[in-house]
């Protein structure tokens, strides 16, 4: 299979926060990969803009080191690392002051007729100041795009305020709110599988689906992000955005066409159809120490912390398609394995013609986001050999790396794909302002509830599947979580 790389039109991408962790680890190596594949043409420029005093040459060295560290060993199909570095420039800019802005305006003036994109890879408290200055200095035309990072607010009120600040200077069609989960190949494949095949959609409802599980498990603890994380927790950091977006894609109605607003309208309807969640349907946890690795509270240097590093919940959607089918969602840190998957668990056949000894079987469609991106469908067949009609479940496996061969290795990572979508002006995989607000509107009362009751998270063993109560959440319904494993 030959992959087709369609070059995007020439662009100028300014990365505010171009010396930060995210730029170093994801954005810059990602742009380099797109350059290497021939998607970013020779005419485009990438301009780092941050507080650090540095010249263009210093920035090129900084980026070379970032690529060496995070994308070592790549061979460029088109051009060389030096050719890529030539496309880079740098301006020292203070988002909150005047310094550097005339220089940036001058630099942008040299690149007329290109797509202009501004990546706000900085703290959200700077978004307003950046948006305002882009206008004051006349460097954002009506076709310019801005890309904003999570966290997008910490509740509905702050998300509305942030939307308001951006809306003062930019139209919604210019704002690209990143949720990098939406840039994953498998997540888009989920839409292809659902809406490109006749096979699944007729069964995609509460009549045939027993329940759906979404798991995003990490093995790492909070790392160096302790201070930030402790004010946020798994609900705000993961559930409100990444898991919610996955839920939307799995549960939404088919949009009339694959167009940004048609898709996002359907996702918004899913969020609005979410029922309130009963406290008994939520389990929060905090990881314990493991060997020389500290427990959560020591990690975040807050001995009183009641922030959750794990959350599991059962949610319901009040609509025709899903009434009666529960969705079980869980995410946490320091769990047994680093794995993200969605499992659509179908109902058992209404009657087994093979008798009780054949056992009980279910089809499960598993969509793996990581590791080994791909899907498999568990199908029940006869166990080979003599001995009567014994049944066994086998996977019809479609691991992308196996099915697509070497091309699968060249699948762009989420950030690369999303940045190219910004340049193309395609907002399908970005969250719209009303979606983010609706997600917070659903989240806020849940958090307020446990704050009011003084709920404390349950300790769980590091390297486990989370707190015991999370297992009980499903056992109680006669179901069980899929094992967290690689
Ligand atoms: P960072 O602290 O590593 O970098 C911050 C950058 O902002 C630096 O380049 C700094 O020079 C610049 N900056 C700070 N104040 C400035 C000012 N007044 N004027 C101009 N530039 C200024 O942060 P990061 O980890 O790269 O994160 C950036 C954003 O992305 C944050 O909003 C963060 O929440 C979000 N984010 C980061 C990650 C990640 O993996 N690092 C993941 C998801 C979201």
């Amino acid at each position: 299979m030959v992959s087709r790389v369609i070059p995007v039109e020439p662009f100028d991408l300014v990365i505010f926060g171009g010396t930060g962790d995210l730029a170093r680890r994801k954005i810059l190596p990602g742009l380099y990969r797109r350059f290497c594949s021939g998607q970013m043409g020779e005419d485009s420029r990438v301009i780092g803009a941050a507080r650090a005093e540095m010249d263009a040459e210093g920035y090129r060295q900084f980026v070379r080191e970032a690529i060496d560290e995070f994308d070592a060993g790549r061979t460029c199909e088109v051009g060389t690392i030096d050719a890529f570095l030539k496309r880079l420039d740098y301006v020292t800019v203070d988002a909150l002051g005047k310094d550097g802005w005339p220089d940036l305006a001058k630099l942008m003036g040299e690149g007329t007729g290109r797509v202009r994109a501004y990546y706000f890879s900085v703290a959200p408290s700077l978004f307003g100041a950046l948006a305002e200055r882009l206008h004051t200095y006349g460097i954002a035309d009506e076709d310019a795009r801005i890309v904003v990072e999570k966290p997008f607010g910490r509740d509905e009120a702050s998300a509305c305020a942030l939307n308001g600040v951006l809306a003062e200077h930019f139209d919604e069609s210019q704002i690209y709110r990143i949720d990098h989960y939406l840039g994953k190949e498998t997540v888009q494949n989920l839409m292809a599988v659902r809406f490109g095949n006749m096979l699944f959609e007729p069964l995609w409802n509460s009549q045939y689906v027993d329940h759906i599980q979404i798991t995003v498990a990490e093995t790492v603890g909070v790392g160096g992000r302790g201070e930030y994380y402790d004010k946020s927790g798994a609900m705000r950091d993961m559930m409100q955005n990444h898991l919610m977006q996955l839920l939307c894609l799995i549960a939404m109605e088919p949009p009339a066409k694959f167009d940004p607003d048609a898709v996002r309208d359907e996702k918004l309807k899913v969020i609005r159809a979410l029922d309130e969640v009963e406290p008994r349907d939520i389990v929060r946890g905090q990881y314990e120490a493991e060997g020389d690795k500290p427990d959560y509270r020591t990690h975040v240097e807050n001995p009183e912390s009641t922030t959750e590093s794990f959350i599991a919940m059962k949610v319901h959607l009040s609509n025709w398609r899903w009434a009666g089918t529960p969705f079980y969602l869980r995410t946490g840190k320091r769990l047994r394995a680093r794995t993200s998957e969605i499992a659509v668990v179908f109902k058992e056949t209404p009657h087994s013609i093979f008798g009780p000894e054949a056992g009980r079987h279910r089809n499960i469609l598993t969509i793996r986001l990581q590791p080994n991106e791909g899907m498999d469908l568990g199908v029940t067949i006869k166990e080979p050999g003599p001995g009567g009609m014994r049944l066994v479940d086998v996977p019809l496996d479609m691991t992308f790396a196996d099915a697509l061969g070497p091309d699968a290795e060249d699948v762009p990572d989420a950030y690369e794909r999303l940045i190219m979508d910004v340049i193309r002006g395609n907002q399908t995989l970005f969250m719209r302002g009303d979606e983010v607000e609706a997600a917070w509107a659903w989240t806020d009362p849940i958090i307020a509830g446990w704050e009011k009751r003084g709920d404390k998270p349950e300790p769980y063993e590091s390297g486990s599947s989370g707190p015991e109560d999370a297992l009980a959440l499903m056992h109680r319904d006669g179901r069980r979580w899929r094992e967290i494993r690689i």
Side-chain angles (χ1 to χ4, degrees):
M1 201 177 303
V2 177
S3 61
R4 283 170 298 150
V5 173
I6 302 170
V8 292
E9 56 189 298
F11 64 86
D12 281 345
L13 172 67
V14 177
I15 310 172
F16 291 108
T19 59
D21 176 65
L22 184 67
R24 222 166 59 80
R25 281 191 309 114
K26 293 286 181 188
I27 304 172
L28 292 159
L31 284 164
Y32 173 55
R33 284 194 288 273
R34 290 298 89 213
F35 179 83
C36 287
S37 72
Q39 200 163 21
M40 172 184 162
E42 295 270 340
D43 295 340
S44 298
R45 295 186 299 174
V46 175
I47 299 164
R51 264 191 315 197
E53 296 284 348
M54 210 187 275
D55 61 11
E57 220 26 70
Y59 192 58
R60 290 184 189 123
Q61 185 54 27
F62 169 87
V63 176
R64 185 190 290 276
E65 285 165 19
I67 291 171
D68 279 350
E69 187 175 348
F70 297 104
D71 201 30
R74 168 160 301 266
T75 45
C76 242
E77 284 167 38
V78 183
T80 60
I81 185 158
D82 290 310
F84 173 70
L85 295 176
K86 265 197 209 147
R87 311 313 314 154
L88 302 185
D89 218 320
Y90 182 80
V91 190
T92 304
V93 162
D94 180 8
L96 299 171
K98 290 183 182 163
D99 291 352
W101 286 95
D103 300 335
L104 181 59
K106 185 162 169 280
L107 202 54
M108 295 307 285
E110 293 166 11
T112 48
R114 304 163 185 209
V115 172
R116 288 181 175 186
Y118 299 93
Y119 200 129
F120 291 6
S121 182
V122 293
S125 55
L126 301 181
F127 289 179
L130 287 176
E132 190 200 314
R133 281 162 179 74
L134 284 173
H135 267 262
T136 308
Y137 288 89
I139 46 182
D141 53 25
E142 60 194 23
D143 193 38
R145 288 129 215 201
I146 57 169
V147 183
V148 295
E149 266 296 336
K150 83 165 205 185
F152 200 86
R154 55 174 284 107
D155 52 23
E156 188 185 4
S158 55
C160 290
L162 217 43
N163 277 334
V165 163
L166 296 180
E168 279 178 32
H169 302 287
F170 292 92
D171 186 71
E172 182 62 35
S173 63
Q174 298 178 280
I175 304 172
Y176 291 72
R177 294 176 195 77
I178 283 219
D179 183 323
H180 70 271
Y181 269 62
L182 292 181
K184 286 182 185 284
E185 183 72 9
T186 335
V187 170
Q188 292 167 73
N189 232 322
L190 178 57
M191 286 191 272
V193 165
R194 276 195 65 190
F195 306 130
N197 293 285
M198 199 55 212
L199 200 58
F200 297 109
E201 201 48 28
L203 307 180
W204 212 259
N205 55 53
S206 58
Q207 201 182 337
Y208 297 101
V209 176
D210 178 72
H211 72 277
I212 290 174
Q213 301 185 17
I214 304 178
T215 298
V216 176
E218 297 177 279
T219 49
V220 292
V222 295
R225 297 170 66 221
E227 198 186 333
Y228 159 77
Y229 192 91
D230 201 42
K231 291 194 203 92
S232 165
M235 184 68 167
R236 287 191 170 99
D237 193 48
M238 297 294 292
M239 189 65 84
Q240 182 273 348
N241 39 68
H242 303 317
L243 279 88
M244 177 74 79
Q245 289 295 322
L246 298 180
L247 171 70
C248 285
L249 293 177
I250 204 100
M252 72 182 186
E253 293 300 315
K257 50 187 172 178
F258 193 57
D259 140 310
D261 277 326
V263 171
R264 296 184 300 174
D265 285 346
E266 295 305 335
K267 284 164 58 197
L268 180 60
K269 285 183 208 161
V270 172
I271 302 173
R272 291 191 173 150
L274 278 165
D275 284 352
E276 271 179 42
V277 187
E278 299 281 335
R280 69 189 292 264
D281 288 337
I282 303 181
V283 178
R284 297 162 69 225
Q286 255 184 9
Y287 59 78
E288 294 178 319
E290 181 191 21
D292 56 357
K293 292 185 193 153
D295 67 359
Y296 176 82
R297 290 177 178 197
T298 313
H299 221 149
V300 302
E301 296 178 33
N302 177 3
E304 305 293 322
S305 175
T306 56
T307 304
E308 73 287 350
S309 61
F310 174 99
I311 185 163
M313 57 204 302
K314 175 165 82 163
V315 305
H316 286 280
L317 288 170
S318 278
N319 61 23
W320 272 49
R321 186 185 285 265
W322 293 117
T325 296
F327 290 74
Y328 297 90
L329 318 177
R330 68 178 160 168
T331 180
K333 297 197 174 289
R334 284 269 189 89
L335 297 175
R336 180 172 296 146
R338 178 170 178 259
T339 164
S340 301
E341 66 164 40
I342 303 170
V344 180
V345 182
F346 289 91
K347 291 187 173 170
E348 288 175 23
T349 50
H351 163 70
S352 171
I353 63 169
F354 305 110
E357 61 279 7
R360 297 167 65 176
H361 298 271
R362 287 185 157 160
N363 301 115
I364 302 179
L365 176 68
T366 313
I367 299 130
R368 290 189 307 273
L369 276 65
Q370 66 187 21
N372 311 328
E373 282 198 62
M375 305 191 186
D376 72 57
L377 176 65
V379 178
T380 304
I381 59 164
K382 177 188 169 298
E383 200 175 289
M389 192 55 110
R390 291 192 311 269
L391 301 185
V392 61
D393 296 331
V394 293
L396 286 180
D397 192 342
M398 203 191 88
T399 301
F400 293 157
D402 299 342
L404 304 177
D407 280 355
E409 286 163 28
D410 213 26
V411 167
D413 105 335
Y415 275 95
E416 306 168 44
R417 173 190 312 274
L418 292 173
I419 294 170
M420 291 300 111
D421 276 356
V422 173
I423 306 302
R424 289 190 203 100
N426 184 345
Q427 290 184 303
T428 310
L429 300 174
F430 296 83
M431 294 179 295
R432 210 168 51 190
D434 51 3
E435 259 184 272
V436 180
E437 288 174 16
W440 280 121
W442 176 78
T443 311
D444 283 357
I446 299 173
I447 296 176
W450 68 55
E451 281 174 355
K452 190 165 159 215
R453 290 188 302 274
D455 288 358
K456 292 196 172 54
E458 190 187 327
Y460 62 92
E461 214 179 297
S462 284
S464 70
S465 302
E468 288 295 316
D469 281 357
L471 305 180
L473 179 73
M474 285 199 83
H475 283 170
R476 196 172 81 199
D477 296 342
R479 302 183 172 106
R480 59 193 167 91
W481 291 105
R482 287 166 56 77
E483 219 180 298
I484 295 181
R485 64 186 155 85
I486 295 190

